[in-house]
Amino acid sequence: MNPSNVAVRSYAAYDSKSELKAFQFERRNPGAFDVQIDILYCGVCHSDLHFIKGDWGKITYPLVPGHEIVGKVEQVGTEVKKFKVGDVVGVGCLVDSCRTCPSCKEGLEQYCETGMTMTYGSAASNEPTGITHGGYSTKIVVDENYLLRIPSTIPLKNAAPLLCAGITTYSPLRYWKVGSGDRIGVVGLGGLGHMAVKLARAMGAEVTVFSTSENKRNDAMKLGAHHFVVSNDRVEMEKRQTSLTLIIDTVSASHDYNLYLGLLKREGTMVLLGLPEPTVVAAVPLVFKRRSLAGSLIGGIRETQEMLDFCAKHEIAADVEVIPMQEINKAYERMLKGDVHYRFVIDLQSLK
Ligand code: NAP
Ligand code: ZN
Ligand code: ZN
């Protein structure tokens, strides 16, 4: 043990099948450009579950998930210019990138051509464990250039999910220039879906939620949706053919994209955000109306700050259910059933 390293308590996955359990480890001693953060809240993203189950490939265990982190700065390196002790900061899905490739230079670090360093599960030679570990933990050390400033008007527990669910839905809405007059579909009302509804509504769009859960109808309307459709209701689906300009698909499990493509107007786009198993896509609905099927990955640091400021201006934040760390395995079970209202957020006080 190096006495200048940072001792951390956390919960980690020890293999792809067992429940998460307590894990103690060390993070790097903060360098000149690093900020050491005392973590207050961390959101629970469906990607955490995909990742630790090995859905996206083999990983190294033990692994601490969590990439929706809000905390307080408790120490800064000698060269840190942007943050000071006591500031409230956020850490999202990435903590480093090459900084020199065209994507990094454009502020699109998530598409870094040599691969971003993810907040958890990336190789990191500067970390004592050799890999990055996420926010289901008491402290984290991050380079100041990959930190976000949390606007003071957003309650901290409600701000945490903005660092992934918020930016992942904001980025495609901005890229496809959503505004008033647009008719947007949101497929799946979970963590990402509920943020897509709030953000698209704030941008002036007319929003329709497509859900498998009839019992989310009232919530969808309260969140700001104009219409709610249960996706296996054939009559309602038929009525809405060729009506939408953009669809944001946030579904976490395999499903039939073809069911939704016909809802798009000519030249409309369906953006996939969920990352389930591959599905067959039919050419006909794309070809006959020059529609597009696209994807989008989180967002860069600059755009994430823009999203946080947008949320503060429009008084938007995530709807959360706060849990102690010890309830994470129960929360995962509920997430797998689509029973999230609408983001679990861990209170890290429960580990201190
Ligand atoms: P979540 O909170 O669990 O929400 C997913 C929603 O999908 C559920 O609430 C449910 O909504 C719907 N759903 C679940 N199983 C379904 C099924 N078998 N058929 C149809 N609908 C189903 O998950 P999340 O955290 O929002 O994440 C959603 C997906 O996005 C995950 O795959 C995650 O890994 C991915 N993700 C991608 C990015 C990116 O950068 N692209 C970033 C973060 C997360 P209803 O009850 O309304 O049907
Ligand atoms: Zn996420
Ligand atoms: Zn790069």
Side-chain angles (χ1 to χ4, degrees):
M1 172 167 174
N2 175 345
S4 38
N5 283 346
V6 182
V8 179
R9 281 192 293 281
S10 74
Y11 260 47
Y14 283 77
D15 58 56
S16 65
K17 295 198 172 61
S18 316
E19 298 201 323
L20 266 62
K21 288 192 286 282
F23 172 54
Q24 299 204 13
F25 69 103
E26 287 175 20
R27 296 196 188 270
R28 66 177 184 263
N29 176 25
F33 297 94
D34 283 338
V35 172
Q36 182 178 316
I37 301 153
D38 177 48
I39 301 179
L40 299 171
Y41 294 103
C42 182
V44 178
C45 179
H46 208 114
S47 299
D48 300 346
L49 196 50
H50 284 303
F51 200 87
I52 60 174
K53 298 282 172 218
D55 289 353
W56 300 335
K58 270 188 113 173
I59 65 159
T60 305
Y61 299 99
L63 194 273
V64 181
H67 58 205
E68 295 184 335
I69 301 165
V70 167
K72 249 190 191 157
V73 174
E74 59 179 13
Q75 197 182 318
V76 294
T78 50
E79 299 296 324
V80 169
K81 301 277 186 303
K82 301 179 192 163
F83 299 95
K84 58 178 192 319
V85 171
D87 283 353
V88 176
V89 293
V91 183
C93 304
L94 63 114
V95 289
D96 209 346
S97 63
C98 84
R99 309 176 192 210
T100 56
C101 74
S103 296
C104 284
K105 283 194 170 152
E106 277 183 63
L108 299 168
E109 300 91 347
Q110 75 275 33
Y111 302 117
C112 174
E113 271 122 78
T114 53
M116 61 173 158
T117 304
M118 296 183 300
T119 304
Y120 59 80
S122 281
S125 55
N126 57 351
E127 290 291 349
T129 56
I131 58 167
T132 54
H133 286 295
Y136 296 6
S137 62
T138 48
K139 290 174 199 294
I140 192 165
V141 177
V142 180
D143 183 296
E144 67 164 337
N145 292 305
Y146 292 81
L147 286 182
L148 289 311
R149 197 171 284 286
I150 305 296
S152 60
T153 52
I154 308 179
L156 301 187
K157 62 184 193 316
N158 308 85
L162 301 178
L163 279 313
C164 175
I167 183 58
T168 303
T169 48
Y170 181 87
S171 187
L173 291 170
R174 272 283 178 255
Y175 183 79
W176 275 276
K177 300 189 171 54
V178 167
S180 66
D182 280 316
R183 300 174 83 185
I184 306 297
V186 174
V187 185
L189 196 63
L192 266 57
H194 97 291
M195 284 313 306
V197 171
K198 291 187 186 210
L199 291 165
R201 172 86 193 222
M203 290 173 190
E206 184 179 323
V207 182
T208 305
V209 168
F210 297 87
S211 172
T212 57
S213 317
E214 167 62 41
N215 61 10
K216 292 183 183 172
R217 183 182 292 273
N218 288 343
D219 287 355
M221 307 314 267
K222 274 193 224 146
L223 290 165
H226 299 85
H227 316 282
F228 180 89
V229 176
V230 178
S231 44
N232 66 4
D233 182 336
R234 288 210 181 158
V235 177
E236 282 298 312
M237 291 295 277
E238 197 51 45
K239 265 200 240 163
R240 288 175 161 76
Q241 293 294 299
T242 329
S243 67
L244 304 173
T245 40
L246 188 79
I247 296 175
I248 302 285
D249 183 338
T250 74
V251 174
S252 51
S254 272
H255 61 293
D256 186 5
Y257 302 143
N258 305 297
L259 192 65
Y260 301 99
L261 288 171
L263 297 167
L264 291 169
K265 286 185 173 176
R266 199 191 72 219
E267 279 123 29
T269 301
M270 171 151 144
V271 187
L272 305 180
L273 298 181
L275 289 156
E277 298 286 305
T279 310
V280 175
V281 178
V284 169
L286 296 175
V287 170
F288 274 76
K289 291 226 177 311
R290 197 153 54 183
R291 295 170 173 129
S292 304
L293 183 62
S296 184
L297 179 65
I298 50 174
I301 298 298
R302 195 192 305 150
E303 195 174 45
T304 305
Q305 190 63 59
E306 180 190 305
M307 174 277 308
L308 287 164
D309 298 340
F310 177 93
C311 287
K313 184 172 164 210
H314 292 270
E315 299 182 355
I316 293 173
D319 286 22
V320 303
E321 197 173 324
V322 177
I323 57 165
M325 189 70 257
Q326 296 75 7
E327 280 180 21
I328 186 63
N329 297 302
K330 259 192 245 160
Y332 279 169
E333 275 175 35
R334 283 183 50 196
M335 187 155 75
L336 278 172
K337 290 188 209 141
D339 179 21
V340 181
H341 307 274
Y342 277 86
R343 198 58 140 184
F344 290 111
V345 170
I346 302 158
D347 180 350
L348 270 309
Q349 207 54 44
S350 57
L351 271 189
K352 291 176 189 166

